Amino acid sequence: MNKQKISKAIIPVAGLGTRLLPISKSIPKEMVPVVDRPLIQHVVEEALAAGLNEIILVTRGGKSAVEDHFDHHYELETELEKKGKTQLLEQLRAIVPPELKVTSVRQDQALGLGHAVACAAHLIGEDEAFAVLLPDVLVKPQASMSEQCDLATMVTTFQASHAAQIMVEQVPLADVERYGIADCAGQDLVAGSSTAMRGVVEKPSPEQAPSQLAVVGRYILPGKIMPLLAQTQPGAGNEIQLTDAIDTLIAEDKVEAFCMAGRSFDCGHIPGWLQANQVLGREAGLLAD
Ligand code: G1P
């Protein structure tokens, strides 16, 4: 099998961020800081670390700060250069490394995650695999691990097997109704590796959940998911769900659950965001233990 290059990552950023109100009233939730940089910068850095250098932001009006963050800021750069603030200048320029290409497309109606991903369909080749990263969730390697990145493992696994990779982690039963939940036929999952998936359901009740394996918000998908998304009818919450298109894909293609080896922080709500700042702030040596 040919090793397919995967370089595109779709990042949906059109959400309203209601769970972060009032912080997100007039700033995009993706610009909320986690330790020393906005949430979106962590997510783009994760994509770059996995070799995904073509970022496709699915956005909407009122969110231009997200795009601006990945643009050069000439006035600021010139000023820092003039003042000889080299370290700061380098930090600033590192946000936009030469290999990073950012494109944005608009989601003109809030019809769900599946719809957001489908808004970028014209930018993805028919046989081109791509990643989806949900920016509410931060995925970081364990503090004890080196810089090993789960997303990079998912990319290489896809390249070897051509099976779609969906990152999952175990959650408490009471939380299953907040996530897509994978059905892996009761198999035991091993952290850092992939297991065949036989179904996935969006936000099931605890009684109906096939497992407690929650979809974390990192996906490597084949291009053929796009026509499936185009046919997907509204599901949970009356939204077009990416989960439902993946469930359809399982009938015709290999799909695997990748068991996260790192840690996730749900920064889309206040407790998760505070926890990320506390844990990562301490690890960065910026907060006392
Ligand atoms: C989305 C997905 C869901 C996934 C979750 C991860 O839901 O639809 O399958 O488990 O992200 O955060 P949302 O949080 O947008 O409701």
Side-chain angles (χ1 to χ4, degrees):
M1 238 179 241
N2 290 339
K3 193 170 155 189
Q4 199 185 130
K5 184 161 166 41
I6 305 176
S7 53
K8 292 180 184 162
I10 299 177
I11 307 186
V13 297
L16 287 171
T18 46
R19 293 185 304 151
L20 274 188
L21 282 170
I23 302 171
S24 54
K25 187 181 171 198
S26 65
I27 57 163
K29 63 175 172 162
E30 296 78 12
M31 293 306 293
V32 166
V34 175
V35 186
D36 60 351
R37 61 201 69 188
L39 188 48
I40 189 71
Q41 191 180 329
H42 288 274
V43 177
V44 168
E45 284 169 356
E46 181 192 350
L48 286 169
L52 305 160
N53 66 310
E54 295 181 56
I55 304 296
I56 302 169
L57 299 170
V58 181
T59 186
R60 64 169 170 83
K63 291 240 169 174
S64 58
V66 179
E67 290 154 303
D68 290 348
H69 192 70
F70 297 99
D71 195 358
H72 285 285
H73 192 318
Y74 294 110
E75 296 94 318
L76 189 54
E77 288 182 26
T78 312
E79 202 57 30
L80 292 174
E81 208 159 20
K82 254 201 310 208
K83 293 192 168 140
K85 298 198 169 173
T86 327
Q87 210 185 338
L88 209 49
L89 184 63
E90 275 165 16
Q91 249 178 36
L92 205 68
R93 286 187 173 150
I95 302 171
V96 198
E99 73 273 19
L100 178 66
K101 308 284 171 228
V102 181
T103 305
S104 57
V105 295
R106 296 275 169 154
Q107 183 182 19
D108 53 8
Q109 293 176 77
L111 297 181
L113 174 60
H115 176 258
V117 172
C119 287
H122 60 292
L123 300 173
I124 304 289
E126 213 177 300
D127 294 319
E128 184 182 21
F130 63 97
V132 176
L133 284 81
L134 306 188
D136 281 2
V137 184
L138 269 188
V139 177
K140 296 281 182 190
Q142 299 289 352
S144 56
M145 284 160 57
S146 53
E147 276 311 289
Q148 187 193 323
C149 161
D150 277 331
L151 192 63
T153 314
M154 290 169 72
V155 169
T156 46
T157 306
F158 181 96
Q159 286 170 327
S161 65
H162 285 201
Q165 301 294 311
I166 317 297
M167 190 188 285
V168 299
E169 72 173 324
Q170 192 82 17
V171 294
L173 186 62
D175 290 348
V176 292
E177 56 200 7
R178 287 171 42 201
Y179 299 100
I181 299 293
D183 179 355
C184 294
Q187 294 187 70
D188 283 332
L189 270 62
V190 178
S193 61
S194 302
T195 304
M197 213 155 112
R198 70 173 181 192
V200 60
V201 45
E202 183 69 11
K203 302 192 172 71
S205 64
E207 298 73 40
Q208 284 173 341
S211 74
Q212 286 166 242
L213 295 169
V215 173
V216 178
R218 300 294 183 271
Y219 313 75
I220 308 292
L221 298 167
K224 68 157 73 161
I225 195 84
M226 289 300 190
L228 295 179
L229 274 173
Q231 291 160 20
T232 301
Q233 297 303 311
N238 203 28
E239 293 186 337
I240 297 170
Q241 298 292 351
L242 180 57
T243 299
D244 293 343
I246 295 170
D247 193 54
T248 309
L249 179 70
I250 292 174
E252 47 186 80
D253 235 333
K254 277 196 291 181
V255 176
E256 294 178 343
F258 172 85
C259 182
M260 184 179 73
R263 308 165 281 176
S264 71
F265 299 92
D266 182 358
C267 297
H269 69 148
I270 307 267
W273 169 70
L274 282 174
Q275 201 206 1
N277 276 293
Q278 206 173 35
V279 173
L280 300 173
R282 260 197 219 113
E283 284 174 17
L286 296 168
L287 277 178
D289 279 336

